[in-house]
Amino acid sequence: MPAYRAPLRDIRFVLDELLESDPHYASLSGCERLDPELLDDVLRGAAQFAEEVVAPLFRVGDEQGCRFEDGEVKTPDGFVKAFKLYGEAGWQALTVPIADGGQGLPPSLGQFVTEMIGSASWAWSMYPGLALAPVTCLLNGGSEEQKHTYLPKLLSGEWAGSMCLTESHCGSDVGLLRTRATRNEDGSYDITGTKIFVSGGEQDLTDNIIHTLLARIEGAPDGTKGLSLFVVPKFLINEDGSLGERNAAHCGSIEKKMGLKGSATCVMNFDGATAFLLGEENRGLEVMFKLMNTARLGTAMQGLALGELAFQGALEYARERLQMRSLTGPKNPEGEADPIIVHPDVRRMLLTQKAFVEGNRALIYWLAHRVDEVAHADGERRQRAIDLLELLTPVAKAFCTENAQEVTNLGIQIYGGHGYISDNGMEQIVRDGRISTVYEGTTGIQALDLIGRKVFATGGALLRNVTQLVNEFCEEQRDNAAMEEFIGPLSAASQCWGRLTEDISAKATQNLDELGAASVDFAFHSGYVVLGYLWARMALVAQCALAAANTEDDDFYRAKLATARFYFQRLLPRHLAHATAARAGAAGLMELDADAFAP
C-alpha cells in the first residue's frame, strides 16, 4: 500500500524556482499578508495534515465505502473526525476574502493544498471540495443577507455543500434539464425534480448541507438561457441562525461505483423543496460557469494527485523488488537478483510517470497563478491571465486526466501481478482516477470546447497568446548551446501546432464536423506542446542551478534535467502522431451509417 509523502521539494521547485512565487504574490493587490514564511507554513501544514490525518483514510474509504440506510448516508470510519479537524484548522476558509470571513490568501494556495490532500485520499477530499461549491456561488452571486446566512458555517466546516447539475436524460447538456422552480409570494421558490451524480448530496459529516442547484423557473425560455441558480439547504435556517425544519430535499439512493467509494454519489429528489435564488432569474449559468472553470482545474488536479500517488508507490516497489539480473551484469551481487529499477523498461515506465506528474504539476501551478491574477490584478495583466485560462483550462482538464490514466496503469504494470490485487493499493488508484476524464465535462467535451470555442471561434487569437510565449522563450535561448536539445524540438512542435490549427480551421469552414473529428487529437497535441514548453523551462532552471554548484541539491537537479531529456526524446514526439490523426478528417468517421456499426 503506497504510504503517501507530500512532494514538498518538487512543489517548492515549481513555486520558488520555476514560477518565482515571491514576486508573483508580492505584486497581487490585497494579498500583502502572504509572505514567504506564511507560504511555507501553509505548505508544511497541509503536508502534515495530508500525511497524518487523510492518508490513513485512503484504504478504509475503499474497503468500507458509504452505506445508505433509511435515507441516510454513513461515511467510512474516520471521515467525520477528519472533516471536523479540517474545518477547525481553518483550511476551508483559506482563500476566501477576509471581508467574507475567510483568510484572504490567493486562490492558488487552495490548489496546492488540494494536491496534497487529494493525493492522500481523493475520496475524502471530495467532501471539503464540494463544500466550496456553494461558497463560490455565494461569493459570485449571493446577496449580503445570503452570505451572512450561509458562509460562516460553511467556512468553519460545520456545514458542507453540493453541486446539483446533472439529470439522467441530459448529462452535460444542461439546457435540457427538467427540474422546475415555482415562485412563492415570500420571494422563495419551490423546486421539483431529480438530480443524479451529486457528490456529497447526503452524508453524516455535518449538521446541514447547502445544495446549489440549476433549475428552470416556470415561464422561462428553453435551453441554457432559461436556467437559474438556487441555494437549497437540507435544513431551513431560522432567523437566529439555528436549524429549522427539514427541507423536501432527500437522497433517494447512492451509486455503486468503480472507485471513490468513500465519496457518496447521490440521487437527490427535490419534492417542492424551498429554495432561494442566487443572482438574477435566467442568469444562473453566469455564476455557475465561474464555479465550473474552477472545478475543471480541480479535476486536472485529480490527475496530478493520483498520478503522484501511483508514482510514489511504483518507485518504492521498483527499488525493493528483486527479479532477474541486469543485462549488463549484476547490480546487486550480494542478492539473488537485481532490483527491477535497473531494467530499461521499468526505467521507461517510471520516467513516463515522473515526466507526466512533474509536468502536470508545473502546468496546473502555472495556471493557478493566472487565477490569482484574475482575482487580484488589473488591466492588461488580468486580461492576459483570462485569455491564457480560456485556452489552457480545457487543455489541462483533458490532458492531465488522460495522461494520469497512463501513469496510474503503469503503476500496476511495474508491480506486475502484485499490482492487480487489492492488497497493494495500485488498482484502487486506477479505479479512483478513472472518473476524472468523465466528470466536469468529458475529454471529448473539453476538446470540442478547446478547438471550437477557444480556437476556431476566436480566429486563433487565444492560441497565439500561448504560441507567442513559447516562441519568445525559444528565441531567448536560441544561442544557448546547453539548451539546443530542447529548443529545436520545442520550436518545431510550436510551429506544427500553428500549421495544424490552420489546416483544421480551413476544413471547418466547409464542414464543422471537421472540428469534432480533430478535437481530441488536437487537445492531446496541445497538451504535449505545452508540457514541452514547461519542461524546457524546468531544464533551464536545473542547468542554471547545476552551474551554480549547489552540491546539496545537485542530485535533484540532475534528475530534473534527465527527466526533461526523457520527455523530449520519448513523449513530446507523440504530438506528431496526434497531428497526423487530427488531419485525417471527418470523412472516415462519418461515412458509416449508424445502423451499420454492427451486422
Side-chain angles (χ1 to χ4, degrees):
M1 182 65 63
Y4 174 69
R5 293 294 178 263
L8 287 176
R9 179 63 187 92
D10 197 62
I11 288 173
R12 295 314 303 245
F13 169 81
V14 174
L15 292 179
D16 299 341
E17 301 175 70
L18 177 68
L19 301 180
E20 299 180 337
S21 285
D22 287 351
H24 165 77
Y25 290 126
S27 69
L28 299 176
S29 175
C31 300
E32 293 80 4
R33 61 188 295 263
L34 179 60
D35 55 30
E37 183 178 354
L38 179 55
L39 175 60
D40 189 64
D41 287 343
V42 170
L43 294 175
R44 292 186 180 279
Q48 182 178 9
F49 192 90
E51 293 171 359
E52 297 179 4
V53 179
V54 182
L57 305 178
F58 170 76
R59 185 164 187 171
V60 70
D62 189 66
E63 291 181 341
Q64 294 185 6
C66 291
R67 305 187 309 279
F68 185 65
E69 301 172 355
D70 300 323
E72 302 292 333
V73 169
K74 303 295 183 183
T75 56
D77 293 346
F79 274 46
V80 173
K81 181 179 179 181
F83 194 90
K84 185 174 185 293
L85 292 173
Y86 191 81
E88 290 175 348
W91 293 111
Q92 200 72 324
L94 193 70
T95 62
V96 173
I98 293 174
D100 294 305
Q103 298 179 39
L105 298 179
S108 59
L109 267 69
Q111 292 285 350
F112 313 151
V113 172
T114 295
E115 182 197 335
M116 291 182 270
I117 299 298
S119 289
S121 171
W122 195 268
W124 181 86
S125 77
M126 293 285 284
Y127 294 105
L130 268 296
L132 290 176
V135 172
T136 302
C137 292
L138 286 161
L139 292 176
N140 288 293
S143 66
E144 291 304 313
E145 181 181 359
Q146 288 172 329
K147 292 179 185 179
H148 177 76
T149 299
Y150 300 110
L151 284 179
K153 292 192 176 182
L154 283 168
L155 297 180
S156 68
E158 295 174 75
W159 297 349
S162 81
M163 183 169 60
C164 304
L165 303 180
T166 307
E167 298 181 12
S168 59
H169 64 282
C170 61
S172 296
D173 192 357
V174 293
L176 299 177
L177 65 78
R178 297 169 183 161
T179 299
R180 296 287 172 177
T182 305
R183 298 181 188 86
N184 295 320
E185 292 183 0
D186 63 358
S188 67
Y189 294 75
D190 287 343
I191 299 288
T192 300
T194 297
K195 300 286 186 177
I196 65 169
F197 302 157
V198 181
S199 298
E202 182 59 57
Q203 36 81 358
D204 59 353
L205 309 178
T206 61
D207 295 332
N208 204 5
I209 303 171
I210 310 303
H211 306 287
T212 43
L213 176 147
L214 281 178
R216 196 182 312 278
I217 298 172
E218 291 184 348
D222 292 336
T224 57
K225 293 182 179 179
L227 299 182
S228 299
L229 182 64
F230 299 88
V231 59
V232 187
K234 176 181 176 180
F235 287 94
L236 298 175
I237 316 301
N238 296 321
E239 290 186 5
D240 63 358
S242 62
L243 296 184
E245 64 181 84
R246 180 73 156 82
N247 206 353
H250 296 276
C251 178
S253 64
I254 60 174
E255 305 293 352
K256 296 179 180 179
K257 303 178 297 183
M258 176 179 178
L260 296 181
K261 295 181 179 181
S263 170
T265 304
C266 304
V267 175
M268 294 299 301
N269 298 316
F270 298 89
D271 301 310
T274 300
F276 306 94
L277 182 69
L278 283 173
E280 300 178 30
E281 290 189 357
N282 304 334
R283 302 185 68 176
L285 280 186
E286 294 180 26
V287 178
M288 184 58 71
F289 266 122
K290 295 178 181 178
L291 171 64
M292 293 303 295
N293 285 333
T294 301
R296 286 167 181 166
L297 276 182
T299 309
M301 182 63 81
Q302 183 177 355
L304 165 59
L306 292 175
E308 173 66 38
L309 186 61
F311 173 56
Q312 288 189 18
L315 179 59
E316 181 181 4
Y317 185 79
R319 285 170 170 165
E320 296 177 353
R321 170 71 170 176
L322 301 182
Q323 188 165 317
M324 301 186 297
R325 288 296 186 187
S326 166
L327 296 175
T328 56
K331 300 298 186 292
N332 177 37
E334 302 302 319
E336 58 184 353
D338 289 329
I340 63 173
I341 198 170
V342 307
H343 303 309
D345 191 56
V346 174
R347 291 293 187 101
R348 175 191 62 82
M349 291 187 283
L350 287 170
L351 281 166
T352 299
Q353 289 184 305
K354 182 176 173 65
F356 276 136
V357 167
E358 294 177 8
N360 289 349
R361 179 173 294 116
L363 172 58
I364 296 171
Y365 283 28
W366 180 46
L367 295 182
H369 274 192
R370 307 291 77 76
V371 175
D372 291 340
E373 292 171 341
V374 173
H376 295 284
D378 297 312
E380 184 179 345
R381 183 185 179 196
R382 181 176 186 271
Q383 188 58 52
R384 282 200 307 269
I386 291 172
D387 291 345
L388 285 172
L389 286 168
E390 280 287 297
L391 184 88
L392 293 178
T393 294
V395 173
K397 198 285 182 182
F399 190 65
C400 294
T401 58
E402 287 287 353
N403 69 47
Q405 307 311 304
E406 181 174 355
V407 169
T408 55
N409 274 288
L410 285 174
I412 290 180
Q413 195 72 13
I414 290 167
Y415 270 71
H418 293 288
Y420 194 69
I421 62 174
S422 61
D423 291 356
N424 294 306
M426 303 308 285
E427 57 84 33
Q428 182 189 333
I429 300 173
V430 173
R431 290 187 288 105
D432 283 355
R434 184 60 184 85
I435 187 62
S436 65
T437 66
V438 177
Y439 58 14
E440 308 306 337
T442 63
T443 298
I445 288 174
Q446 301 300 322
L448 191 58
D449 176 51
L450 169 67
I451 199 171
R453 294 181 61 242
K454 307 303 171 54
V455 176
F456 185 72
T458 67
L462 293 178
L463 178 61
R464 285 192 290 274
N465 293 329
V466 179
T467 56
Q468 182 179 357
L469 288 175
V470 177
N471 295 338
E472 287 175 353
F473 176 77
C474 290
E475 189 60 33
E476 290 169 1
Q477 300 301 320
R478 193 163 302 280
D479 295 330
N480 184 348
M483 287 292 291
E484 184 177 354
E485 62 183 305
F486 306 111
I487 295 305
L490 177 60
S491 180
S494 180
Q495 292 173 29
C496 179
W497 198 8
R499 290 193 300 269
L500 179 62
T501 302
E502 292 173 357
D503 292 347
I504 297 170
S505 296
K507 290 181 179 180
T509 58
Q510 304 299 318
N511 178 9
L512 287 177
D513 272 343
E514 294 290 342
L515 294 180
S519 60
V520 170
D521 283 295
F522 183 84
F524 285 154
H525 183 282
S526 304
Y528 280 111
V529 178
V530 173
L531 248 64
Y533 166 63
L534 291 166
W535 265 115
R537 286 181 56 187
M538 288 190 280
L540 178 62
V541 173
Q543 286 179 348
C544 292
L546 288 169
N550 181 10
T551 55
E552 182 180 343
D553 263 355
D554 278 3
D555 286 346
F556 174 85
Y557 294 117
R558 278 193 287 266
K560 189 66 70 174
L561 195 55
T563 309
R565 290 195 177 103
F566 175 86
Y567 183 85
F568 272 78
Q569 293 168 359
R570 296 288 188 120
L571 299 181
L572 180 61
R574 295 180 182 183
H575 82 88
L576 295 171
H578 287 294
T580 300
R583 285 191 172 96
L589 299 179
M590 307 307 292
E591 65 179 337
L592 189 63
D593 187 84
D595 294 332
F597 269 83

